[in-house]
Amino acid sequence: MATTTATPVTTPHAPRPEAGPRKRRKVEPIYYLFLLPALVLFSLAITLPAVMGIFYSFTNSIGFGEWEFVGLINYQAMFSDPAILQSYLFTFGFAAVTVVVVNVVAFLLAVGLTARIRFKSGLRAIFVIPMVISGIIIAYVFNYLFSNSVPAAGSSLGISWLSESLLANPDLAWVAIVVVTAWQAIPGTLLIYIAGLLSIPGDVYEAADLDGASKLQALLRITLPLVAGYVVINVILGFKNFLNAYDIIVGLTNGGPGTETRSIAMTIVTGFTGGDYAYQMANATVFFLITIVISLVQLRATRGRSAL
Amino acid sequence: MRFLLSKPEAIPYFRDLIAEFNASQQDVEVVFDTSSNLQAGFLRGNPPDLGLLNYNMEMARFMARGALSDLKDMPEAGRILPEVQDLVNNLAAYPGRTSVLPYSVMAASVIYNKQIFADNGVEVPETWDDFLAVCDTLKAAGVVPIYSTFKDAWTVSQGLFDYTVGGMVDVAGFYRQLREEGTNVGPDSEVSFAKTLTEPVSRMEMLAENYTNEDAASRGYGDGNLAFSKGEGAMYFQGPWAFGEIAKSGPDLDLGTFPLPMTDDPESRKVRVNIDLAAWIPEDSTHKDAARTFLSYLFQPDVMNAYNESQLGYGTTTDAAPVTDPRILGMKPYFDEARFYQGASQAIPLTIPTENYLQGIVTGAGVEPTLQTLDADWARLALRQ
């Protein structure tokens, strides 16, 4: 943000009413009017239900009918519930791995697709297609591939671990989920990287070329540092999205085999529809607090870079 | 008044019925609802006026919290078979009320391919040892004894789990005790999943390990129906709802049913039943009288009988017509003598991922740790609800 003195990148021309001392500046009331519709909608659709949810997490409500206060029992039960703890472990592990896979692949693709190659725009269009298909459809298609096509290929090639469906393997089902999620998430990330790479002026490469830098050196010493801001954006957006993993898992494994691949969002939704309203509201509250902490850490870590 | 029915196979039948009813009188106009979300409807205080749905733990909690009105004074309530009404009460009850009227019961047991049995010279087994002998004979002949579809977790719980447990354990009694134990369920309680169900569930694991198709873990319900209709397995642990699907690709298959024998005593065999459809009227309904009128219309004997005949269901009333379809005739004596149980997996609240746990067992997670997890989940749920 532009308010700290530590950052070299400042944007003095930005009209930020709270930048100066409050007494001297008179705020146009019209700004508040602009804010009003969004504020009202946000409060009604997000804040109010969230507050109600937090309230019910201290009751034994199942969503309707008679209920009573139970204090912190939901929280107490939750922290000893292996199903919930495992869903946290799985979701965070999954999100971390997927972020790395998505960013590495998307970055390399972006480098390729911004180089001087043939059929560049055609290839770009093809690579972006997965982005416009809905997650659940992708999941069902891959479900079929993993259950039938991949095992058939695996057994005809004599690869034993591939001849059984990945989705049925308790130790490897998560790999399938990472692959499919990455397949869907790479295009969005790719587009942001392409925009980043195109923003690098050509003369820095010319200068590097004159100094005798190899292609690899140019990539590591010039390209990477200059798109660092885009990397940060992609990692933050990606991690946030992958923590909410739901539709692809439902379509691929529905949490199985066993409970190996149940994500936090899945645990909350299935518990809620199964009548465990208050309990899963407690779970959602904890998840909410954790994501707030993560966002604060990320905001702090990326301060100054966001101006890129 | 809004009528909710979401069973896909039954929608065409009830659509015609509603059109007929609406045309026949002027007082009540029935609006057909096949898709609205129950939980959300009750939550908003805007539930359907009359529901005719599968009755399970999900529905039971609406009754347990007093969200369904009392129908005891309706003449239809008096016609329900007492042992069928007990199936409702086994799951949950609200003191002093009869809020749920069963409409159709599905009886499920082992489906077998009569041709494959005859070709291999085996007969319907009556004891556990017989059953294993049948499986061994079939396996030795290169036939898959039990075609299984572990990819769809529900097929594990409704088939292998419910049949093995129901054949050995008094399901209703077990859950009654389990509910009394509540938060005490665990290693020290009188009954528990780990204590009471280890034996049947170990047998279930053994069957899954030795007598199912090798690719069971990557096969789903749809794959199973297709494979079974092509004769790729001798037995199939599914309910009558699968017959219609199997008939699509194998219309001439000669199929029968028998209860899975789990003991040495042929007399102890029972079939699994579930309340396929049951009617209820919410407290929050604003058209209770209209809903009652249509309920009475639905419960006329000829309307009920026609439904049950078309869906291979069993009637729930004292005046219901007997079943005649040869595919489910094998279970008639058991139903008539009330030698049935409700699926053990159906009595566990849905918030506990039972189906996932059972799928875990057949794909390699241990029996005992999984049952202990179920115990812990049960106790935790009792603590907070």
Side-chain angles (χ1 to χ4, degrees), chain A residues 22-42:
Chain A
R22 271 205 191 131
K23 281 178 202 158
R24 268 189 284 158
R25 194 178 288 260
K26 190 162 185 314
V27 180
E28 277 291 334
I30 192 85
Y31 288 138
Y32 292 116
L33 208 62
F34 288 159
L35 275 178
L36 198 65
L39 191 70
V40 169
L41 283 178
F42 190 86

Side-chain angles (χ1 to χ4, degrees), chain A residues 22 39 43 49 54 65 67 69 94 97 147 152 170 220 231 246 250 276:
Chain A
R22 271 205 191 131
L39 191 70
S43 309
I54 294 172
W67 54 268
F69 279 105
F94 156 80
V97 173
S147 301
L220 293 178
V231 175
Y246 180 73
V250 169
D276 220 353

Side-chain angles (χ1 to χ4, degrees), chain B residues 229-248:
Chain B
S229 75
K230 289 197 212 149
E232 288 178 27
M235 293 177 273
Y236 193 39
F237 284 27
Q238 272 295 348
W241 47 83
F243 284 125
E245 300 299 311
I246 295 170
K248 282 178 189 164

Side-chain angles (χ1 to χ4, degrees), chain A residues 60-67 70 73-74 76-77 80-83 143 147-148 164-165 168 170 254-259 262 271-277 279-280, chain B residues 37 39 42-44 58 61-62 64-67 94 151 214 217-219 223 349-353 355-357 359-361 363-364 373 376-377 380-381 383-385:
Chain A
N60 69 350
S61 169
I62 56 172
F64 54 84
E66 301 152 10
W67 54 268
V70 295
I73 281 180
N74 284 325
Q76 185 195 335
S80 66
D81 189 336
N143 188 332
S147 301
N148 299 294
E164 201 201 22
S165 167
N254 206 7
T259 52
R262 275 162 64 94
F272 165 69
T273 48
D276 220 353
Y277 181 71
Y279 185 54
Q280 292 305 341
Chain B
N37 182 317
Q39 172 87 13
F42 276 93
L43 213 141
R44 288 193 301 257
E58 190 193 352
R61 63 202 157 86
F62 294 106
R65 299 267 174 148
Y94 191 85
K151 190 169 96 176
E214 259 178 32
S218 44
R219 290 284 156 258
D223 305 319
L350 293 174
T351 177
I352 298 177
E355 291 176 356
N356 285 76
Y357 289 154
Q359 185 193 41
I361 290 179
T363 52
T373 308
D377 282 359
R380 225 182 340 265
L381 185 64
L383 175 73
R384 63 179 194 264
Q385 274 194 4

Side-chain angles (χ1 to χ4, degrees), chain B residues 115-166:
Chain B
Q115 190 62 47
I116 295 182
F117 266 47
D119 290 348
N120 291 281
V122 292
E123 300 203 337
V124 169
E126 297 191 343
T127 65
W128 171 245
D129 291 337
D130 280 357
F131 179 72
L132 290 186
V134 167
C135 288
D136 283 328
T137 310
L138 291 168
K139 197 180 175 186
V143 177
V144 172
I146 307 167
Y147 198 93
S148 300
T149 53
F150 300 153
K151 190 169 96 176
D152 280 327
W154 68 269
T155 67
V156 181
S157 56
Q158 92 80 31
L160 272 175
F161 177 73
D162 283 355
Y163 294 177
T164 48
V165 171

Side-chain angles (χ1 to χ4, degrees), chain A residues 2-306:
Chain A
T3 46
T4 54
T5 49
T7 50
V9 201
T10 49
T11 49
H13 55 276
R16 295 175 61 94
E18 72 269 66
R22 271 205 191 131
K23 281 178 202 158
R24 268 189 284 158
R25 194 178 288 260
K26 190 162 185 314
V27 180
E28 277 291 334
I30 192 85
Y31 288 138
Y32 292 116
L33 208 62
F34 288 159
L35 275 178
L36 198 65
L39 191 70
V40 169
L41 283 178
F42 190 86
S43 309
L44 285 180
I46 311 274
T47 317
L48 189 68
V51 171
M52 279 167 65
I54 294 172
F55 170 80
Y56 278 115
S57 73
F58 299 105
T59 71
N60 69 350
S61 169
I62 56 172
F64 54 84
E66 301 152 10
W67 54 268
E68 55 196 51
F69 279 105
V70 295
L72 287 172
I73 281 180
N74 284 325
Y75 291 89
Q76 185 195 335
M78 188 197 139
F79 284 112
S80 66
D81 189 336
I84 288 185
L85 299 181
Q86 197 199 343
S87 75
Y88 275 82
L89 201 67
F90 166 76
T91 309
F92 278 89
F94 156 80
V97 173
T98 313
V99 156
V100 173
V101 172
V102 166
N103 280 280
V104 168
V105 175
F107 181 75
L108 294 179
L109 276 177
V111 170
L113 289 174
T114 48
R116 266 188 234 102
I117 56 168
R118 281 164 185 274
F119 313 117
K120 193 155 64 180
S121 24
L123 280 176
R124 278 189 198 171
I126 290 173
F127 277 113
V128 170
I129 287 175
M131 203 166 113
V132 297
I133 310 176
S134 111
I136 195 84
I137 293 172
I138 293 174
Y140 278 119
V141 171
F142 272 92
N143 188 332
Y144 186 84
L145 291 176
F146 281 126
S147 301
N148 299 294
S149 314
V150 175
S155 54
S156 66
L157 292 173
I159 310 169
S160 62
W161 64 274
L162 263 189
S163 52
E164 201 201 22
S165 167
L166 269 187
L167 302 175
N169 186 328
D171 301 319
L172 293 177
W174 68 273
V175 175
I177 295 173
V178 168
V179 168
V180 178
T181 311
W183 192 81
Q184 189 199 28
I186 284 171
T189 316
L190 174 68
L191 285 182
I192 296 180
Y193 278 131
I194 289 180
L197 290 173
L198 292 178
S199 73
I200 302 175
D203 48 6
V204 291
Y205 290 108
E206 279 167 32
D209 211 23
L210 287 178
D211 290 340
S214 70
K215 286 285 173 204
L216 185 67
Q217 279 176 318
L219 180 70
L220 293 178
R221 297 278 171 80
I222 298 176
T223 313
L224 256 184
L226 285 175
V227 295
Y230 296 88
V231 175
V232 171
I233 291 172
N234 274 331
V235 167
I236 293 178
L237 287 181
F239 197 71
K240 181 198 140 291
N241 283 338
F242 303 144
L243 279 186
N244 290 325
Y246 180 73
D247 50 352
I248 285 180
I249 301 182
V250 169
L252 277 182
T253 63
N254 206 7
T259 52
E260 294 295 332
T261 57
R262 275 162 64 94
S263 71
I264 303 171
M266 256 188 94
T267 315
I268 293 175
V269 173
T270 51
F272 165 69
T273 48
D276 220 353
Y277 181 71
Y279 185 54
Q280 292 305 341
M281 284 305 118
N283 188 2
T285 306
V286 171
F287 189 37
F288 172 66
L289 292 177
I290 290 177
T291 42
I292 284 195
V293 170
I294 293 175
S295 330
L296 289 177
V297 169
Q298 280 176 335
L299 267 182
R300 183 160 289 259
T302 58
R303 200 179 260 182
R305 287 244 175 83
S306 56

